[in-house]
Amino acid sequence: MGKFTDQCVIITGAAGGIGQALSERFAREGASLVLADLNDEGVGKLAVALEHDYAIPVVTSVGDLSTPDGAKQAVEVATSTFGRLDVLVNNAGGGVIRPTLMHTEETLQATIDRNLWSALRCTLAALPVMLAAGYGRMVFIGADSVRNGLEDHAIYNAAKGGVHALVGGLSREFGMKGVTFNVVAPPAVRSPEFERYMREQPELTNRFVSQIPMGRPAELSEVAAAVEFLAGSEAGFINGQVLGVNGGSTLA
Ligand SMILES: NC(=O)c1ccc[n+]([C@@H]2O[C@H](COP(=O)([O-])OP(=O)(O)OC[C@H]3O[C@@H](n4cnc5c(N)ncnc54)[C@H](O)[C@@H]3O)[C@@H](O)[C@H]2O)c1
């Protein structure tokens, strides 16, 4: 028996670097998984690999999670396939990191859509199911940069700061209902996306990492471990928190 055997877990942004690590972590713990992403091929391949390696049921939902239809579809796939929804990991996102005045209409919109609207839409779609069951765990991937105002991150932080604030409000509003809402906030994470930044803009990326007292980015497994903890039933009295998995770069 794994920690999440008989539980249904939706991972949004499952095809990305952190999403894949999260999916594998929950698969290892026996979860029934819904992998949601825009990237059809990415979630398809991951689903096949996880079913094979961990002998768990995995389904995918392909669509734009920043839209009501895309978010509803992911939740409907969960409930129609598994008849329940225990955990939603709002991980879809990703920064368009650049100086504020170099953003275009398109990059502004994409930053807010990916990071804030997808989290908000998926939350709205999943909440009624969790409230009806009287149980649920929502864990959001936020960002440590919201707290330290990292250079070139203003627009990304506007979106992720919205996610942090959303979690605080939801935890108060639904405190009596058995559903908890928490954020895991990493700084740079050693994901394929991070490696790309390191190749394309090494000086800037090294400046980001230099803000971390431990002198390195977070490992994917370190982020996944924190998410797993907050998604578990034993974390039931932790609500509305932003957990920095950040090597000490910002203090509580
Ligand atoms: N990598 C880091 O250094 C880092 C640091 C702090 C926070 N984060 C956050 O962690 C999360 C995962 O980051 P990552 O590094 O794995 O990024 P990534 O770009 O590798 O993966 C993000 C995934 O989200 C999906 N996605 C984005 N918008 C979507 C939408 N509207 N609908 C459906 N799918 C959508 C993408 O297709 C992609 O597969 C993001 O929220 C990111 O902002 C990452």
Side-chain angles (χ1 to χ4, degrees):
M1 284 281 282
K3 182 171 166 185
F4 293 95
T5 299
D6 297 330
Q7 290 201 22
C8 170
V9 178
I10 297 179
I11 313 278
T12 74
I18 295 174
Q20 292 197 29
L22 291 169
S23 303
E24 180 158 14
R25 170 71 60 144
F26 281 96
R28 205 167 76 193
E29 291 300 330
S32 301
L33 284 178
V34 179
L35 308 182
D37 206 293
L38 276 167
N39 179 345
D40 193 358
E41 193 187 351
V43 282
K45 281 188 180 157
L46 182 62
V48 170
L50 293 177
E51 279 190 321
H52 175 268
D53 293 350
Y54 297 97
I56 47 139
V58 186
V59 290
T60 63
S61 179
V62 176
D64 184 346
L65 296 165
S66 70
T67 66
D69 286 352
K72 271 188 212 142
Q73 177 187 295
V75 171
E76 276 164 20
V77 166
T79 53
S80 64
T81 311
F82 302 116
R84 59 189 297 151
L85 174 57
D86 302 278
V87 178
L88 168 65
V89 184
N90 273 310
N91 164 73
V96 183
I97 307 300
R98 59 178 64 172
T100 300
L101 296 179
M102 289 180 68
H103 271 276
T104 62
E105 265 313 306
E106 195 187 340
T107 61
L108 289 170
Q109 195 69 53
T111 308
I112 307 296
D113 283 351
R114 280 188 214 165
N115 291 285
L116 180 55
W117 275 113
S118 59
L120 182 51
R121 294 292 186 200
C122 290
T123 298
L124 293 174
L127 246 180
V129 179
M130 292 184 173
L131 293 175
Y135 180 86
R137 297 279 180 268
M138 293 202 196
V139 185
F140 300 67
I141 305 299
D144 188 54
S145 56
V146 171
R147 285 172 162 170
N148 67 12
L150 206 57
E151 69 183 287
D152 295 350
H153 279 62
I155 305 305
Y156 178 67
N157 286 347
K160 287 296 194 194
V163 171
H164 291 203
L166 172 68
V167 160
L170 293 169
S171 68
R172 293 230 160 218
E173 189 173 346
F174 298 103
M176 301 290 280
K177 307 285 186 189
V179 183
T180 63
F181 309 85
N182 291 289
V183 177
V184 168
V189 180
R190 204 190 307 276
S191 60
E193 181 74 352
F194 171 83
E195 302 289 1
R196 185 174 67 78
Y197 273 115
M198 195 52 127
R199 279 193 305 276
E200 290 175 3
Q201 301 184 60
E203 201 185 309
L204 183 64
T205 314
N206 278 319
R207 280 215 300 281
F208 295 160
V209 173
S210 71
Q211 313 267 333
I212 304 170
M214 289 188 178
R216 64 167 178 84
E219 300 297 341
L220 291 167
S221 60
E222 292 167 333
V223 176
V227 173
E228 180 196 326
F229 171 65
L230 291 170
S233 57
E234 75 275 27
F237 202 53
I238 303 174
N239 201 9
Q241 302 302 304
V242 177
L243 176 59
V245 178
N246 61 19
S249 77
T250 51
L251 304 177

